[in-house]
Amino acid sequence: MHVPETAAMELHDVNLILTVSILSAWQNIYFARKVSMIRNKHNIRHGSTTGHTEFETVYYANQNLQQYYSTFLVLLWGAGLFTSQVWAASIGLLYLFARQRYVKGYLGPATCRPPGFFFAKRTMMTLSGLVAIGLLNHCLKRFLGVEFDDYVANIAQAAPAVLLFV
């Protein structure tokens, strides 16, 4: 099967979203290590999910983040491949910041949790919007021969600012 040259992908086409993916993996390692260190600090056996309050707090904060991780990666890559790698990577970095803020807030009083959570949620919705725009354009191009690449490029430039801050 012959693949047209325009369909060939190179590292520079995905280097930003790959970088954010790697940073997110390192952040996951950091959070998992934090759980492990607090587990050891309070002599909580591996496999246990209860024990000291400090451990339970860090453990559940990490679990909450893990539940959204695969969704984040799919949306990050989808937005980067279908619309704008620069915007997807930028929003991905904001998501990592929001995750860090969420964990920090989770370790404090319950009132400190919502800001990080809601900001992370907003970044995921923004990535989701970019994916939807890109998928729609791809389907229109593939099945109807209608090409809106210029419009999608313009939307991909403006949409993140609108979606993030509305």
Side-chain angles (χ1 to χ4, degrees):
M1 181 170 132
H2 175 68
V3 177
E5 287 183 38
T6 57
M9 188 173 294
E10 296 183 20
L11 182 59
H12 67 81
D13 295 325
V14 295
N15 63 348
L16 297 176
I17 51 178
L18 179 59
T19 300
V20 172
S21 297
I22 291 167
L23 289 173
S24 72
W26 287 344
Q27 188 181 50
N28 277 350
I29 291 167
Y30 169 77
F31 292 146
R33 184 153 164 69
K34 191 172 189 88
V35 170
S36 181
M37 287 171 33
I38 293 175
R39 181 185 297 274
N40 291 337
K41 175 181 171 184
H42 297 291
N43 295 320
I44 298 170
R45 295 179 53 193
H46 287 277
S48 295
T49 59
T50 59
H52 194 274
T53 306
E54 182 184 24
F55 167 73
E56 289 177 8
T57 303
V58 171
Y59 177 80
Y60 286 112
N62 185 47
Q63 289 300 308
N64 290 346
L65 294 175
Q66 296 309 314
Q67 291 174 349
Y68 291 101
Y69 188 61
S70 59
T71 304
F72 163 70
L73 286 178
V74 168
L75 293 175
L76 174 71
W77 280 86
L81 293 175
F82 283 120
T83 56
S84 168
Q85 177 187 203
V86 172
W87 272 111
S90 300
I91 295 164
L93 287 173
L94 288 174
Y95 177 76
L96 297 183
F97 169 76
R99 283 171 42 122
Q100 193 73 33
R101 188 169 174 200
Y102 173 72
V103 168
K104 185 176 181 183
Y106 206 93
L107 299 178
T111 56
C112 295
R113 296 175 191 171
F117 174 78
F118 288 119
F119 190 60
K121 184 177 164 185
R122 179 148 307 175
T123 59
M124 294 270 276
M125 293 304 294
T126 303
L127 288 173
S128 186
L130 286 175
V131 169
I133 291 165
L135 275 174
L136 178 64
N137 181 55
H138 176 74
C139 289
L140 289 172
K141 188 185 328 181
R142 173 113 170 121
F143 299 114
L144 299 178
V146 178
E147 198 168 310
F148 291 106
D149 287 343
D150 292 336
Y151 296 112
V152 168
N154 289 335
I155 291 170
Q157 294 299 319
V162 171
L163 292 171
L164 270 175
F165 300 108
V166 170

mmCIF file of all heavy atoms in Angstrom, residues 6-54:
data_model
loop_
_atom_site.group_PDB
_atom_site.id
_atom_site.type_symbol
_atom_site.label_atom_id
_atom_site.label_comp_id
_atom_site.label_asym_id
_atom_site.label_seq_id
_atom_site.Cartn_x
_atom_site.Cartn_y
_atom_site.Cartn_z
ATOM 1 N N THR A 6 2.225 13.441 1.724
ATOM 2 C CA THR A 6 1.617 14.417 2.624
ATOM 3 C C THR A 6 1.115 13.764 3.907
ATOM 4 O O THR A 6 0.912 14.437 4.890
ATOM 5 C CB THR A 6 0.450 15.153 1.945
ATOM 6 O OG1 THR A 6 -0.498 14.187 1.494
ATOM 7 C CG2 THR A 6 0.950 15.986 0.777
ATOM 8 N N ALA A 7 0.917 12.432 3.887
ATOM 9 C CA ALA A 7 0.420 11.741 5.077
ATOM 10 C C ALA A 7 1.558 11.312 6.002
ATOM 11 O O ALA A 7 1.315 10.875 7.107
ATOM 12 C CB ALA A 7 -0.405 10.525 4.674
ATOM 13 N N ALA A 8 2.793 11.428 5.530
ATOM 14 C CA ALA A 8 3.928 11.028 6.355
ATOM 15 C C ALA A 8 4.064 11.984 7.535
ATOM 16 O O ALA A 8 3.916 13.187 7.404
ATOM 17 C CB ALA A 8 5.213 11.017 5.535
ATOM 18 N N MET A 9 4.339 11.405 8.699
ATOM 19 C CA MET A 9 4.474 12.215 9.898
ATOM 20 C C MET A 9 5.925 12.170 10.369
ATOM 21 O O MET A 9 6.553 11.121 10.349
ATOM 22 C CB MET A 9 3.551 11.682 10.998
ATOM 23 C CG MET A 9 3.494 12.577 12.186
ATOM 24 S SD MET A 9 2.282 12.063 13.391
ATOM 25 C CE MET A 9 0.785 12.322 12.484
ATOM 26 N N GLU A 10 6.408 13.300 10.799
ATOM 27 C CA GLU A 10 7.763 13.384 11.317
ATOM 28 C C GLU A 10 7.715 13.835 12.766
ATOM 29 O O GLU A 10 6.691 14.305 13.253
ATOM 30 C CB GLU A 10 8.583 14.360 10.466
ATOM 31 C CG GLU A 10 8.757 13.873 9.034
ATOM 32 C CD GLU A 10 9.628 14.803 8.220
ATOM 33 O OE1 GLU A 10 10.388 15.596 8.827
ATOM 34 O OE2 GLU A 10 9.558 14.751 6.993
ATOM 35 N N LEU A 11 8.849 13.702 13.441
ATOM 36 C CA LEU A 11 8.923 14.040 14.855
ATOM 37 C C LEU A 11 8.494 15.478 15.131
ATOM 38 O O LEU A 11 7.795 15.745 16.099
ATOM 39 C CB LEU A 11 10.332 13.791 15.398
ATOM 40 C CG LEU A 11 10.531 14.064 16.875
ATOM 41 C CD1 LEU A 11 9.600 13.191 17.712
ATOM 42 C CD2 LEU A 11 11.967 13.820 17.275
ATOM 43 N N HIS A 12 8.872 16.410 14.276
ATOM 44 C CA HIS A 12 8.496 17.811 14.524
ATOM 45 C C HIS A 12 6.984 18.022 14.459
ATOM 46 O O HIS A 12 6.476 19.021 14.958
ATOM 47 C CB HIS A 12 9.224 18.772 13.581
ATOM 48 C CG HIS A 12 8.831 18.632 12.145
ATOM 49 N ND1 HIS A 12 7.697 19.203 11.629
ATOM 50 C CD2 HIS A 12 9.434 17.978 11.117
ATOM 51 C CE1 HIS A 12 7.611 18.910 10.347
ATOM 52 N NE2 HIS A 12 8.649 18.173 10.005
ATOM 53 N N ASP A 13 6.259 17.075 13.857
ATOM 54 C CA ASP A 13 4.798 17.176 13.806
ATOM 55 C C ASP A 13 4.149 16.854 15.149
ATOM 56 O O ASP A 13 2.999 17.212 15.371
ATOM 57 C CB ASP A 13 4.231 16.229 12.744
ATOM 58 C CG ASP A 13 4.655 16.609 11.342
ATOM 59 O OD1 ASP A 13 4.775 17.820 11.064
ATOM 60 O OD2 ASP A 13 4.880 15.696 10.525
ATOM 61 N N VAL A 14 4.875 16.139 16.005
ATOM 62 C CA VAL A 14 4.296 15.712 17.292
ATOM 63 C C VAL A 14 5.209 15.993 18.480
ATOM 64 O O VAL A 14 4.896 15.597 19.601
ATOM 65 C CB VAL A 14 3.923 14.206 17.268
ATOM 66 C CG1 VAL A 14 2.826 13.936 16.263
ATOM 67 C CG2 VAL A 14 5.154 13.341 17.022
ATOM 68 N N ASN A 15 6.318 16.677 18.264
ATOM 69 C CA ASN A 15 7.296 16.834 19.348
ATOM 70 C C ASN A 15 6.744 17.569 20.567
ATOM 71 O O ASN A 15 7.094 17.254 21.697
ATOM 72 C CB ASN A 15 8.589 17.478 18.852
ATOM 73 C CG ASN A 15 8.402 18.876 18.324
ATOM 74 O OD1 ASN A 15 7.275 19.336 18.108
ATOM 75 N ND2 ASN A 15 9.501 19.562 18.085
ATOM 76 N N LEU A 16 5.868 18.525 20.377
ATOM 77 C CA LEU A 16 5.328 19.262 21.525
ATOM 78 C C LEU A 16 4.359 18.409 22.341
ATOM 79 O O LEU A 16 4.427 18.389 23.570
ATOM 80 C CB LEU A 16 4.645 20.558 21.062
ATOM 81 C CG LEU A 16 5.548 21.574 20.381
ATOM 82 C CD1 LEU A 16 4.733 22.759 19.879
ATOM 83 C CD2 LEU A 16 6.648 22.033 21.315
ATOM 84 N N ILE A 17 3.451 17.711 21.665
ATOM 85 C CA ILE A 17 2.512 16.882 22.411
ATOM 86 C C ILE A 17 3.214 15.671 23.019
ATOM 87 O O ILE A 17 2.829 15.205 24.090
ATOM 88 C CB ILE A 17 1.267 16.477 21.586
ATOM 89 C CG1 ILE A 17 1.634 15.878 20.241
ATOM 90 C CG2 ILE A 17 0.336 17.649 21.418
ATOM 91 C CD1 ILE A 17 0.445 15.429 19.405
ATOM 92 N N LEU A 18 4.266 15.196 22.357
ATOM 93 C CA LEU A 18 5.059 14.114 22.952
ATOM 94 C C LEU A 18 5.772 14.612 24.207
ATOM 95 O O LEU A 18 5.813 13.916 25.227
ATOM 96 C CB LEU A 18 6.067 13.568 21.940
ATOM 97 C CG LEU A 18 6.979 12.450 22.421
ATOM 98 C CD1 LEU A 18 6.150 11.242 22.877
ATOM 99 C CD2 LEU A 18 7.950 12.052 21.336
ATOM 100 N N THR A 19 6.292 15.815 24.175
ATOM 101 C CA THR A 19 6.958 16.396 25.342
ATOM 102 C C THR A 19 5.995 16.531 26.514
ATOM 103 O O THR A 19 6.326 16.174 27.651
ATOM 104 C CB THR A 19 7.560 17.773 24.982
ATOM 105 O OG1 THR A 19 8.501 17.598 23.926
ATOM 106 C CG2 THR A 19 8.231 18.409 26.185
ATOM 107 N N VAL A 20 4.782 17.017 26.248
ATOM 108 C CA VAL A 20 3.785 17.146 27.316
ATOM 109 C C VAL A 20 3.400 15.762 27.846
ATOM 110 O O VAL A 20 3.230 15.581 29.055
ATOM 111 C CB VAL A 20 2.545 17.924 26.829
ATOM 112 C CG1 VAL A 20 1.434 17.900 27.868
ATOM 113 C CG2 VAL A 20 2.934 19.363 26.507
ATOM 114 N N SER A 21 3.304 14.777 26.957
ATOM 115 C CA SER A 21 2.989 13.401 27.393
ATOM 116 C C SER A 21 4.065 12.867 28.330
ATOM 117 O O SER A 21 3.761 12.245 29.351
ATOM 118 C CB SER A 21 2.850 12.478 26.184
ATOM 119 O OG SER A 21 1.789 12.867 25.363
ATOM 120 N N ILE A 22 5.319 13.113 27.982
ATOM 121 C CA ILE A 22 6.425 12.660 28.828
ATOM 122 C C ILE A 22 6.423 13.401 30.162
ATOM 123 O O ILE A 22 6.601 12.790 31.229
ATOM 124 C CB ILE A 22 7.773 12.824 28.090
ATOM 125 C CG1 ILE A 22 7.844 11.835 26.922
ATOM 126 C CG2 ILE A 22 8.950 12.626 29.037
ATOM 127 C CD1 ILE A 22 8.973 12.097 25.946
ATOM 128 N N LEU A 23 6.193 14.703 30.128
ATOM 129 C CA LEU A 23 6.105 15.469 31.381
ATOM 130 C C LEU A 23 4.968 14.943 32.261
ATOM 131 O O LEU A 23 5.112 14.856 33.486
ATOM 132 C CB LEU A 23 5.899 16.956 31.092
ATOM 133 C CG LEU A 23 7.099 17.703 30.518
ATOM 134 C CD1 LEU A 23 6.692 19.116 30.120
ATOM 135 C CD2 LEU A 23 8.257 17.716 31.501
ATOM 136 N N SER A 24 3.855 14.576 31.649
ATOM 137 C CA SER A 24 2.734 14.050 32.433
ATOM 138 C C SER A 24 3.084 12.689 33.036
ATOM 139 O O SER A 24 2.680 12.389 34.157
ATOM 140 C CB SER A 24 1.466 13.970 31.583
ATOM 141 O OG SER A 24 1.545 12.930 30.638
ATOM 142 N N ALA A 25 3.841 11.887 32.308
ATOM 143 C CA ALA A 25 4.282 10.599 32.858
ATOM 144 C C ALA A 25 5.215 10.832 34.049
ATOM 145 O O ALA A 25 5.103 10.149 35.081
ATOM 146 C CB ALA A 25 4.987 9.772 31.786
ATOM 147 N N TRP A 26 6.124 11.794 33.928
ATOM 148 C CA TRP A 26 7.020 12.113 35.049
ATOM 149 C C TRP A 26 6.233 12.646 36.238
ATOM 150 O O TRP A 26 6.553 12.340 37.383
ATOM 151 C CB TRP A 26 8.074 13.116 34.618
ATOM 152 C CG TRP A 26 9.134 12.545 33.718
ATOM 153 C CD1 TRP A 26 9.415 11.216 33.510
ATOM 154 C CD2 TRP A 26 10.046 13.264 32.909
ATOM 155 N NE1 TRP A 26 10.440 11.078 32.621
ATOM 156 C CE2 TRP A 26 10.858 12.325 32.232
ATOM 157 C CE3 TRP A 26 10.254 14.609 32.674
ATOM 158 C CZ2 TRP A 26 11.857 12.693 31.350
ATOM 159 C CZ3 TRP A 26 11.254 14.986 31.794
ATOM 160 C CH2 TRP A 26 12.049 14.034 31.148
ATOM 161 N N GLN A 27 5.192 13.409 35.962
ATOM 162 C CA GLN A 27 4.355 13.908 37.051
ATOM 163 C C GLN A 27 3.659 12.743 37.750
ATOM 164 O O GLN A 27 3.566 12.711 38.979
ATOM 165 C CB GLN A 27 3.332 14.910 36.517
ATOM 166 C CG GLN A 27 2.558 15.606 37.612
ATOM 167 C CD GLN A 27 1.528 16.569 37.064
ATOM 168 O OE1 GLN A 27 0.745 16.206 36.189
ATOM 169 N NE2 GLN A 27 1.536 17.797 37.577
ATOM 170 N N ASN A 28 3.197 11.763 36.982
ATOM 171 C CA ASN A 28 2.583 10.567 37.578
ATOM 172 C C ASN A 28 3.575 9.819 38.456
ATOM 173 O O ASN A 28 3.220 9.333 39.529
ATOM 174 C CB ASN A 28 2.042 9.630 36.502
ATOM 175 C CG ASN A 28 0.683 10.033 36.021
ATOM 176 O OD1 ASN A 28 0.040 10.899 36.596
ATOM 177 N ND2 ASN A 28 0.235 9.408 34.952
ATOM 178 N N ILE A 29 4.808 9.713 37.997
ATOM 179 C CA ILE A 29 5.846 9.052 38.792
ATOM 180 C C ILE A 29 6.074 9.818 40.092
ATOM 181 O O ILE A 29 6.202 9.222 41.169
ATOM 182 C CB ILE A 29 7.156 8.929 37.976
ATOM 183 C CG1 ILE A 29 6.958 7.934 36.829
ATOM 184 C CG2 ILE A 29 8.321 8.511 38.870
ATOM 185 C CD1 ILE A 29 8.065 7.958 35.792
ATOM 186 N N TYR A 30 6.105 11.135 39.998
ATOM 187 C CA TYR A 30 6.280 11.974 41.185
ATOM 188 C C TYR A 30 5.156 11.734 42.190
ATOM 189 O O TYR A 30 5.394 11.553 43.384
ATOM 190 C CB TYR A 30 6.341 13.454 40.765
ATOM 191 C CG TYR A 30 6.257 14.407 41.926
ATOM 192 C CD1 TYR A 30 7.365 14.633 42.748
ATOM 193 C CD2 TYR A 30 5.073 15.081 42.217
ATOM 194 C CE1 TYR A 30 7.288 15.505 43.820
ATOM 195 C CE2 TYR A 30 4.989 15.953 43.285
ATOM 196 C CZ TYR A 30 6.101 16.161 44.078
ATOM 197 O OH TYR A 30 6.010 17.015 45.145
ATOM 198 N N PHE A 31 3.901 11.718 41.717
ATOM 199 C CA PHE A 31 2.766 11.500 42.612
ATOM 200 C C PHE A 31 2.796 10.099 43.218
ATOM 201 O O PHE A 31 2.521 9.922 44.409
ATOM 202 C CB PHE A 31 1.440 11.726 41.888
ATOM 203 C CG PHE A 31 1.181 13.162 41.502
ATOM 204 C CD1 PHE A 31 0.492 13.449 40.333
ATOM 205 C CD2 PHE A 31 1.603 14.220 42.291
ATOM 206 C CE1 PHE A 31 0.239 14.766 39.965
ATOM 207 C CE2 PHE A 31 1.356 15.528 41.938
ATOM 208 C CZ PHE A 31 0.669 15.799 40.766
ATOM 209 N N ALA A 32 3.142 9.091 42.409
ATOM 210 C CA ALA A 32 3.215 7.720 42.919
ATOM 211 C C ALA A 32 4.321 7.598 43.970
ATOM 212 O O ALA A 32 4.159 6.915 44.986
ATOM 213 C CB ALA A 32 3.462 6.739 41.775
ATOM 214 N N ARG A 33 5.434 8.266 43.730
ATOM 215 C CA ARG A 33 6.539 8.249 44.703
ATOM 216 C C ARG A 33 6.115 8.921 46.004
ATOM 217 O O ARG A 33 6.478 8.473 47.089
ATOM 218 C CB ARG A 33 7.749 8.941 44.098
ATOM 219 C CG ARG A 33 8.968 8.900 44.971
ATOM 220 C CD ARG A 33 10.226 8.972 44.151
ATOM 221 N NE ARG A 33 11.381 9.289 44.924
ATOM 222 C CZ ARG A 33 11.945 8.514 45.821
ATOM 223 N NH1 ARG A 33 11.438 7.343 46.073
ATOM 224 N NH2 ARG A 33 13.025 8.893 46.468
ATOM 225 N N LYS A 34 5.346 9.982 45.897
ATOM 226 C CA LYS A 34 4.852 10.680 47.090
ATOM 227 C C LYS A 34 3.971 9.740 47.916
ATOM 228 O O LYS A 34 4.099 9.676 49.140
ATOM 229 C CB LYS A 34 4.074 11.924 46.660
ATOM 230 C CG LYS A 34 3.742 12.862 47.768
ATOM 231 C CD LYS A 34 3.159 14.146 47.160
ATOM 232 C CE LYS A 34 2.991 15.205 48.179
ATOM 233 N NZ LYS A 34 4.134 16.052 48.397
ATOM 234 N N VAL A 35 3.100 8.979 47.254
ATOM 235 C CA VAL A 35 2.256 8.007 47.948
ATOM 236 C C VAL A 35 3.124 6.969 48.640
ATOM 237 O O VAL A 35 2.923 6.632 49.808
ATOM 238 C CB VAL A 35 1.269 7.320 46.973
ATOM 239 C CG1 VAL A 35 0.561 6.145 47.638
ATOM 240 C CG2 VAL A 35 0.251 8.324 46.453
ATOM 241 N N SER A 36 4.130 6.478 47.928
ATOM 242 C CA SER A 36 5.019 5.458 48.482
ATOM 243 C C SER A 36 5.799 5.973 49.685
ATOM 244 O O SER A 36 5.950 5.269 50.695
ATOM 245 C CB SER A 36 5.984 4.974 47.397
ATOM 246 O OG SER A 36 6.826 3.982 47.899
ATOM 247 N N MET A 37 6.292 7.197 49.603
ATOM 248 C CA MET A 37 7.065 7.761 50.710
ATOM 249 C C MET A 37 6.194 7.926 51.960
ATOM 250 O O MET A 37 6.633 7.617 53.069
ATOM 251 C CB MET A 37 7.668 9.111 50.303
ATOM 252 C CG MET A 37 8.821 8.973 49.338
ATOM 253 S SD MET A 37 9.456 10.511 48.604
ATOM 254 C CE MET A 37 9.247 11.725 49.854
ATOM 255 N N ILE A 38 4.978 8.382 51.781
ATOM 256 C CA ILE A 38 4.092 8.569 52.939
ATOM 257 C C ILE A 38 3.639 7.212 53.473
ATOM 258 O O ILE A 38 3.480 7.035 54.686
ATOM 259 C CB ILE A 38 2.919 9.501 52.575
ATOM 260 C CG1 ILE A 38 3.492 10.894 52.331
ATOM 261 C CG2 ILE A 38 1.866 9.529 53.666
ATOM 262 C CD1 ILE A 38 2.512 11.917 51.846
ATOM 263 N N ARG A 39 3.466 6.240 52.582
ATOM 264 C CA ARG A 39 3.150 4.871 53.018
ATOM 265 C C ARG A 39 4.261 4.345 53.931
ATOM 266 O O ARG A 39 4.011 3.799 55.002
ATOM 267 C CB ARG A 39 2.988 3.963 51.793
ATOM 268 C CG ARG A 39 2.649 2.533 52.122
ATOM 269 C CD ARG A 39 2.635 1.662 50.870
ATOM 270 N NE ARG A 39 1.634 2.020 49.907
ATOM 271 C CZ ARG A 39 0.383 1.588 49.922
ATOM 272 N NH1 ARG A 39 -0.018 0.788 50.884
ATOM 273 N NH2 ARG A 39 -0.461 1.957 48.995
ATOM 274 N N ASN A 40 5.504 4.545 53.509
ATOM 275 C CA ASN A 40 6.643 4.086 54.310
ATOM 276 C C ASN A 40 6.774 4.882 55.614
ATOM 277 O O ASN A 40 7.110 4.321 56.661
ATOM 278 C CB ASN A 40 7.937 4.186 53.505
ATOM 279 C CG ASN A 40 7.981 3.181 52.378
ATOM 280 O OD1 ASN A 40 7.296 2.155 52.404
ATOM 281 N ND2 ASN A 40 8.774 3.478 51.358
ATOM 282 N N LYS A 41 6.520 6.176 55.546
ATOM 283 C CA LYS A 41 6.617 7.041 56.724
ATOM 284 C C LYS A 41 5.698 6.553 57.844
ATOM 285 O O LYS A 41 6.055 6.603 59.021
ATOM 286 C CB LYS A 41 6.252 8.478 56.330
ATOM 287 C CG LYS A 41 6.192 9.465 57.465
ATOM 288 C CD LYS A 41 5.783 10.843 56.936
ATOM 289 C CE LYS A 41 5.494 11.802 58.056
ATOM 290 N NZ LYS A 41 5.006 13.098 57.521
ATOM 291 N N HIS A 42 4.513 6.061 57.483
ATOM 292 C CA HIS A 42 3.530 5.643 58.478
ATOM 293 C C HIS A 42 3.425 4.112 58.600
ATOM 294 O O HIS A 42 2.494 3.604 59.218
ATOM 295 C CB HIS A 42 2.158 6.235 58.145
ATOM 296 C CG HIS A 42 2.140 7.734 58.202
ATOM 297 N ND1 HIS A 42 2.269 8.432 59.382
ATOM 298 C CD2 HIS A 42 2.035 8.662 57.223
ATOM 299 C CE1 HIS A 42 2.229 9.726 59.128
ATOM 300 N NE2 HIS A 42 2.090 9.896 57.822
ATOM 301 N N ASN A 43 4.409 3.404 57.997
ATOM 302 C CA ASN A 43 4.457 1.937 58.058
ATOM 303 C C ASN A 43 3.141 1.286 57.637
ATOM 304 O O ASN A 43 2.621 0.398 58.312
ATOM 305 C CB ASN A 43 4.840 1.464 59.467
ATOM 306 C CG ASN A 43 6.237 1.893 59.836
ATOM 307 O OD1 ASN A 43 7.144 1.842 59.000
ATOM 308 N ND2 ASN A 43 6.421 2.335 61.056
ATOM 309 N N ILE A 44 2.630 1.704 56.502
ATOM 310 C CA ILE A 44 1.397 1.131 55.963
ATOM 311 C C ILE A 44 1.791 0.103 54.914
ATOM 312 O O ILE A 44 2.563 0.398 53.995
ATOM 313 C CB ILE A 44 0.502 2.236 55.368
ATOM 314 C CG1 ILE A 44 0.110 3.214 56.474
ATOM 315 C CG2 ILE A 44 -0.729 1.642 54.700
ATOM 316 C CD1 ILE A 44 -0.570 4.467 55.985
ATOM 317 N N ARG A 45 1.271 -1.100 55.058
ATOM 318 C CA ARG A 45 1.631 -2.200 54.159
ATOM 319 C C ARG A 45 1.161 -1.912 52.738
ATOM 320 O O ARG A 45 0.110 -1.309 52.535
ATOM 321 C CB ARG A 45 0.998 -3.503 54.646
ATOM 322 C CG ARG A 45 1.555 -3.935 55.997
ATOM 323 C CD ARG A 45 0.923 -5.191 56.489
ATOM 324 N NE ARG A 45 1.023 -6.231 55.451
ATOM 325 C CZ ARG A 45 0.364 -7.363 55.481
ATOM 326 N NH1 ARG A 45 -0.446 -7.635 56.464
ATOM 327 N NH2 ARG A 45 0.516 -8.242 54.520
ATOM 328 N N HIS A 46 1.954 -2.388 51.782
ATOM 329 C CA HIS A 46 1.568 -2.235 50.371
ATOM 330 C C HIS A 46 0.299 -3.027 50.120
ATOM 331 O O HIS A 46 0.130 -4.133 50.629
ATOM 332 C CB HIS A 46 2.699 -2.698 49.449
ATOM 333 C CG HIS A 46 3.831 -1.733 49.428
ATOM 334 N ND1 HIS A 46 3.832 -0.620 48.626
ATOM 335 C CD2 HIS A 46 4.983 -1.685 50.143
ATOM 336 C CE1 HIS A 46 4.931 0.059 48.842
ATOM 337 N NE2 HIS A 46 5.654 -0.564 49.761
ATOM 338 N N GLY A 47 -0.594 -2.437 49.366
ATOM 339 C CA GLY A 47 -1.886 -3.048 49.105
ATOM 340 C C GLY A 47 -2.987 -2.444 49.961
ATOM 341 O O GLY A 47 -4.150 -2.479 49.590
ATOM 342 N N SER A 48 -2.604 -1.889 51.099
ATOM 343 C CA SER A 48 -3.589 -1.237 51.964
ATOM 344 C C SER A 48 -3.935 0.134 51.398
ATOM 345 O O SER A 48 -3.079 0.832 50.868
ATOM 346 C CB SER A 48 -3.044 -1.050 53.379
ATOM 347 O OG SER A 48 -2.836 -2.281 53.988
ATOM 348 N N THR A 49 -5.194 0.495 51.532
ATOM 349 C CA THR A 49 -5.618 1.814 51.073
ATOM 350 C C THR A 49 -6.105 2.681 52.225
ATOM 351 O O THR A 49 -6.595 3.782 52.011
ATOM 352 C CB THR A 49 -6.744 1.692 50.020
ATOM 353 O OG1 THR A 49 -7.841 0.995 50.605
ATOM 354 C CG2 THR A 49 -6.252 0.978 48.788
ATOM 355 N N THR A 50 -5.964 2.162 53.425
ATOM 356 C CA THR A 50 -6.349 2.924 54.611
ATOM 357 C C THR A 50 -5.199 2.924 55.596
ATOM 358 O O THR A 50 -4.269 2.137 55.486
ATOM 359 C CB THR A 50 -7.600 2.318 55.290
ATOM 360 O OG1 THR A 50 -7.313 0.967 55.661
ATOM 361 C CG2 THR A 50 -8.796 2.357 54.358
ATOM 362 N N GLY A 51 -5.287 3.806 56.547
ATOM 363 C CA GLY A 51 -4.240 3.930 57.558
ATOM 364 C C GLY A 51 -4.253 5.336 58.100
ATOM 365 O O GLY A 51 -5.292 5.874 58.439
ATOM 366 N N HIS A 52 -3.098 5.951 58.115
ATOM 367 C CA HIS A 52 -2.961 7.320 58.588
ATOM 368 C C HIS A 52 -3.695 8.290 57.649
ATOM 369 O O HIS A 52 -3.748 8.083 56.435
ATOM 370 C CB HIS A 52 -1.467 7.678 58.654
ATOM 371 C CG HIS A 52 -1.200 8.919 59.434
ATOM 372 N ND1 HIS A 52 -1.260 10.161 58.855
ATOM 373 C CD2 HIS A 52 -0.870 9.103 60.730
ATOM 374 C CE1 HIS A 52 -0.979 11.082 59.765
ATOM 375 N NE2 HIS A 52 -0.732 10.457 60.914
ATOM 376 N N THR A 53 -4.248 9.346 58.208
ATOM 377 C CA THR A 53 -5.008 10.332 57.425
ATOM 378 C C THR A 53 -4.167 10.951 56.320
ATOM 379 O O THR A 53 -4.653 11.148 55.200
ATOM 380 C CB THR A 53 -5.546 11.439 58.351
ATOM 381 O OG1 THR A 53 -6.293 10.827 59.403
ATOM 382 C CG2 THR A 53 -6.425 12.410 57.597
ATOM 383 N N GLU A 54 -2.901 11.254 56.612
ATOM 384 C CA GLU A 54 -2.020 11.845 55.599
ATOM 385 C C GLU A 54 -1.867 10.903 54.409
ATOM 386 O O GLU A 54 -1.924 11.331 53.249
ATOM 387 C CB GLU A 54 -0.644 12.151 56.208
ATOM 388 C CG GLU A 54 0.308 12.798 55.225
ATOM 389 C CD GLU A 54 1.701 13.004 55.792
ATOM 390 O OE1 GLU A 54 2.108 12.286 56.735
ATOM 391 O OE2 GLU A 54 2.401 13.891 55.257
#
